[in-house]
Amino acid sequence: MSAETERTLEDGLRKVARVVLLDPEDRILLLHGHEPDDPADDWWFTPGGGLEGTETREEAALRELAEETGITEVELGPVLWRRRCSFPFAGRRWEQDEWYYLARTEQTATAARALTELERRSVAGARWWTCQELIRTHETVYPTRLAELLRTLLDEGPPARPVELDTEIA
């Protein structure tokens, strides 16, 4: 990755913007990812990625969503959650400070438009999930409490201020 793509905070965390994208049926869009050299080591996650250049988190959220899903007709809402995480992926350890933005769309067809080389090797597709499907799944989903967080969001609406999620270390 370029130095621009690797924008970090003073404490070395990569700044990331993620999107909790809901369709008119309150389904959430998740991407299916895996280790580049081991498709069996897989998980589901929200669209998003690191900030580039001088862009804001909001700009990064919308750019990443368009690149990874082709969805551009969105209404970006507030930051719902913030999370710090550390995980191994593609032969290195990633240390991230993630902000999760609420967004709504009527556009449900997806088509990745501008994946990086690493994303082409590690993203297997996208799927819309109901809250009940997330609650029942035995597949790995990040953040790990996403089913519970989504249920609260759908029942109570967005929080008054972003909720700080527990740090996740894999």
Side-chain angles (χ1 to χ4, degrees), residues 2 8-9 72 80 84 100 104 115 128 140 168:
S2 70
T8 59
L9 300 170
T72 56
L80 300 170
R84 290 187 176 202
Y100 290 78
R104 292 230 173 233
L115 298 181
W128 292 96
T140 302
E168 289 193 47

Side-chain angles (χ1 to χ4, degrees), residues 67-135:
E67 290 174 358
E68 295 174 346
T69 71
I71 295 176
T72 56
E73 299 170 23
V74 298
E75 180 182 321
L76 193 63
V79 176
L80 300 170
W81 317 308
R82 292 182 184 162
R83 172 181 88 135
R84 290 187 176 202
C85 59
S86 175
F87 55 92
F89 174 67
R92 66 172 269 214
R93 179 151 288 276
W94 299 73
E95 309 279 342
Q96 299 191 157
D97 175 49
E98 300 181 335
W99 290 18
Y100 290 78
Y101 287 86
L102 175 61
R104 292 230 173 233
T105 188
E106 307 247 340
Q107 181 185 345
T108 57
T110 63
R113 291 188 177 161
L115 298 181
T116 66
E117 187 272 332
L118 180 57
E119 288 169 332
R120 283 192 298 278
R121 293 177 33 228
S122 62
V123 177
R127 175 182 160 201
W128 292 96
W129 293 71
T130 66
C131 191
Q132 282 305 313
E133 288 170 332
L134 274 180
I135 290 167

